[in-house]
Amino acid sequence: MKKMIIASTSTIHGSGPLEYLLPKLSTFFKEIKTVLFIPYARPGGISYDEYTEKISVPFAKINIKVKGIHEFEKSKEAIQNAEAIFTGGGNTFELVNQLYKNDVLLTLKNSIKSGTLYLGTSAGSNICGISMMNTNDMPIVYPPSFKTMGLIPFNINAHYLDPIENSTHMGETRETRIKEYHVFNETSVLGLREGSWLEVNNNKIILQGELSARVFQQGKAPYEIESGVELAI
């Protein structure tokens, strides 16, 4: 039975890493002593050790230790034996590339399906969908496939931004990019705003946080889902 928190971001403006999520995580991980951390996305190019150390700080506030997957000789066994797993944000292309390179994508998927608690933020949330094709990241590496875990029946656009009224910026909006995606692809996309997350209990998916989320489906007008509502996309 899947039990997941799929968050748009680890950090919201004016707070530290995971700070806004700690009240939820303290109950979600209440029986957990150690979380296995997957630092492959490397935000800003930081090392796995630096990233793991950074993430250890907020988890210490709820009395949970963090162990990086790179600290284990056998990555698959580390996932299979984990009490809980957290995949952090950064570059989704590199995250997916390393999951394939280390041959752990399917192992991760199966462990979550078997009930291992999972937290994903940003890139770590993008990999929960059908594919990583709605990431905002630069393609700094070329993963073997864009296919990801498919643990939810749609894709995530993390850090979703609404168009700014009267902006003089001439670049495409997120909504425009997703419309371009739907010219060639049928998979629905959820625009998940910062500070919002999905709480997944098996096949039940509920939007949480203070903000609504925006749903994009091929051939249909986008619409909003309010916080506290179960998604049926």
Side-chain angles (χ1 to χ4, degrees), residues 19-194:
E19 188 175 323
Y20 79 103
L21 273 173
L22 284 182
K24 178 62 186 178
L25 297 182
S26 65
T27 57
F28 185 69
F29 290 134
K30 64 181 178 180
E31 304 295 334
I32 302 302
K33 295 181 179 179
T34 304
V35 166
L36 178 70
F37 179 52
I38 300 178
Y40 293 157
R42 299 182 64 183
I46 63 175
S47 71
Y48 293 160
D49 285 336
E50 288 177 294
Y51 200 5
T52 303
E53 183 178 352
K54 180 179 179 181
I55 289 301
S56 296
V57 175
F59 273 103
K61 295 178 182 179
I62 55 174
N63 300 311
I64 294 176
K65 295 181 180 179
V66 176
K67 190 81 170 176
I69 193 171
H70 62 289
E71 300 174 52
F72 293 85
E73 185 176 341
K74 297 181 179 180
S75 300
K76 286 186 179 181
E77 288 185 9
I79 291 172
Q80 291 166 342
N81 295 329
E83 293 183 85
I85 299 169
F86 171 37
T87 305
N91 187 281
T92 309
F93 286 88
E94 172 59 2
L95 169 58
V96 174
N97 187 52
Q98 290 299 323
L99 290 172
Y100 276 105
K101 182 178 179 180
N102 290 284
D103 192 26
V104 294
L105 183 65
L106 184 58
T107 305
L108 180 60
K109 176 180 179 177
N110 289 338
S111 291
I112 296 169
K113 288 178 70 175
S114 296
T116 302
L117 298 181
Y118 180 82
L119 167 65
T121 60
S122 191
S125 294
N126 291 339
I127 62 171
C128 296
I130 303 296
S131 78
M132 58 160 285
M133 292 175 72
N134 298 112
T135 179
N136 308 305
D137 301 312
M138 289 184 177
I140 59 173
V141 293
Y142 191 11
S145 173
F146 292 154
K147 183 179 179 181
T148 46
M149 294 192 289
L151 292 169
I152 53 176
F154 50 87
N155 284 348
I156 296 289
N157 179 250
H159 308 277
Y160 180 77
L161 291 172
D162 296 289
I164 300 173
E165 189 175 356
N166 300 320
S167 172
T168 58
H169 177 65
M170 297 300 293
E172 291 83 352
T173 64
R174 294 284 176 81
E175 186 162 324
T176 299
R177 289 298 194 199
I178 295 170
K179 285 180 179 178
E180 293 169 350
Y181 166 81
H182 275 142
V183 173
F184 303 101
N185 302 276
E186 295 181 357
T187 301
S188 299
V189 180
L190 184 71
L192 196 59
R193 297 180 174 96
E194 291 187 344

Side-chain angles (χ1 to χ4, degrees), residues 160 162 190-197 207-215 223-228:
Y160 180 77
D162 296 289
L190 184 71
L192 196 59
R193 297 180 174 96
E194 291 187 344
S196 296
W197 68 91
L207 177 67
Q208 302 285 11
E210 297 181 359
L211 302 174
S212 62
R214 195 157 180 81
V215 178
Y223 63 93
E224 295 286 318
I225 293 286
E226 297 302 318
S227 181

